[in-house]
Amino acid sequence: MHDFDPGYTHEPYATLVRSHPGPEIYPPEDFRVEWGPVFHRGRLDGSARVLVIGQDPAAHEAVTRRILVGTAGRRVQGFLAKLGIDTGYVMVNTFLYSVYGQGGGTAHAQDPAIADYRHAWLDALMEHNAVEAVLAFGGLADTAFRTWHATPAGRRYTGAYQHMLHPTYPESASSSGSTTLATAMAKLLADWNTALEALHGAITRPDHERPLVPYGSTGFTPADLASIPEADLPAGLPAWMRSAEPWARREGATPGEKRATIVVEVPETLRPF
Amino acid sequence: MHDFDPGYTHEPYATLVRSHPGPEIYPPEDFRVEWGPVFHRGRLDGSARVLVIGQDPAAHEAVTRRILVGTAGRRVQGFLAKLGIDTGYVMVNTFLYSVYGQGGGTAHAQDPAIADYRHAWLDALMEHNAVEAVLAFGGLADTAFRTWHATPAGRRYTGAYQHMLHPTYPESASSSGSTTLATAMAKLLADWNTALEALHGAITRPDHERPLVPYGSTGFTPADLASIPEADLPAGLPAWMRSAEPWARREGATPGEKRATIVVEVPETLRPF
């Protein structure tokens, strides 16, 4: 049997999805609106105890139409597993659309119209789930949470909150030249270990009780990652879209062509032919 | 507001989707099982009066996860519109997976296990919709219908049936060299005009009453095509995925690379940047 995510069939999510904002609120010079909004990943049936806030969807997410499915997703999934949370989560992003260009979305961290729509999701998720912990990955997600937490509905949330480094911080920080990959990775793992300690006691109803196993100091081990559950993706998507192998990339001879193009390639080791 | 297809949330479709067959029934040498099954397009809420049977999903369909959305889909959509059917249809294919190689699926037209699963869909659709007409596009779809119609459940269907040439018959026949594009196109349009005449009276409850406008003899005009409704695709998919412009292609230096790769490119005229 093949499980799948039933998607946005019931309220309040059906109306939220139907009324998503477009380029009138997300300027096309800063967001890849042409790939459409990507809304969430995880449970919309009221069973989530952890709410994850990420940043924005990338190439893999434009194809699966669910957030946090690439490298970042498997790292987050592994973090949740360490807390005993295998399925009891729901994830939304700071931005509905993929961020484009150098600014990295920072210029829009406080946009009221973008926040309004995000708040409608956060309000709905908090109202319909007994959330015990909120995790914000990256600075923009932290700003998103704090902005929501200052609203009347947000103030009612009294559970745990943890601002953590973004799961691909090591790669992005080292590629910008401000640090080495090893240093940035060690910083991420220490940060996530701090979060594990802080959150472990806050989750009173894990999917599975597990002894807390912290990260090492040099990198993610295979045991530190976890697979995206089949039940998190839409019906019919092949299993390699949830694998550890990258399978989507932006490609093009010019910036315009690269922005317009996503190449989807079945990983070589996972081809049945 | 943005409409979307709610998908496979209710029975019997949820169970049908969960229990879809894989490579044990669809041999990977003849089917692109690696791209996953694509199940349907159109209404699953009981409101379909026309049932369309197509052949197999292609590159565009692997991305949208709904069938008949490329060139073939817009031609079929235009045919339905001429009958006054704008939304009251449901479409399934002969095969869940894209056909690979020269055989074109013919070798599997009679496979009992493939037929069993297809029959489960046809049984469900016929039980839950007041279908007035079945359209089969192409020879394999015709075989699929006739095989089902010979079953006990199939025999209960007494509505109209029309076997029609496949919507991309002109392109496929002329590229094989057996005829010219102009000749094949004229043959297709004459065939579809015959079907229009036969079916027009059979649809007693169209979405919109329209005078019957036949096709010309030389090609499809813009008025002969129709857009895929937003409500037919999953939530968040961008509008250009329903446009007249092609936007997905298989690409690769070797047959294996080409089989493993789909390039998705936003049509140049539809880029917001």
Side-chain angles (χ1 to χ4, degrees), chain B residues 92-241:
Chain B
V92 291
N93 272 338
T94 303
F95 299 121
L96 278 186
Y97 297 93
S98 178
V99 166
Y100 184 73
Q102 294 299 319
T106 310
H108 300 283
Q110 311 278 358
D111 282 10
I114 290 177
D116 281 351
Y117 183 77
R118 187 173 57 225
H119 291 174
W121 268 88
L122 293 172
D123 290 351
L125 292 172
M126 284 299 191
E127 185 185 336
H128 295 280
N129 295 274
V131 171
E132 300 191 308
V134 177
L135 320 182
F137 287 95
L140 289 163
D142 179 49
T143 300
F145 174 79
R146 290 182 192 279
T147 307
W148 172 76
H149 203 221
T151 66
R155 276 192 287 273
R156 288 201 291 272
Y157 175 68
T158 56
Y161 173 68
Q162 198 71 27
H163 171 203
M164 301 165 62
L165 285 174
H166 191 273
T168 53
Y169 162 80
E171 288 79 2
S172 56
S174 63
S175 79
S176 78
S178 63
T179 181
T180 65
L181 182 62
T183 304
M185 182 61 85
K187 185 173 166 186
L188 177 85
L189 296 167
D191 180 70
W192 284 26
N193 276 338
T194 303
L196 278 180
E197 284 294 340
L199 292 166
H200 194 240
I203 313 285
T204 65
R205 295 177 298 123
D207 296 313
H208 291 97
E209 293 277 358
R210 292 196 182 110
L212 189 59
V213 179
Y215 294 96
S217 56
T218 56
F220 288 97
T221 68
D224 292 332
L225 305 175
S227 299
I228 312 297
E230 193 175 32
D232 280 20
L233 294 195
L237 290 194
W240 51 264
M241 288 192 179

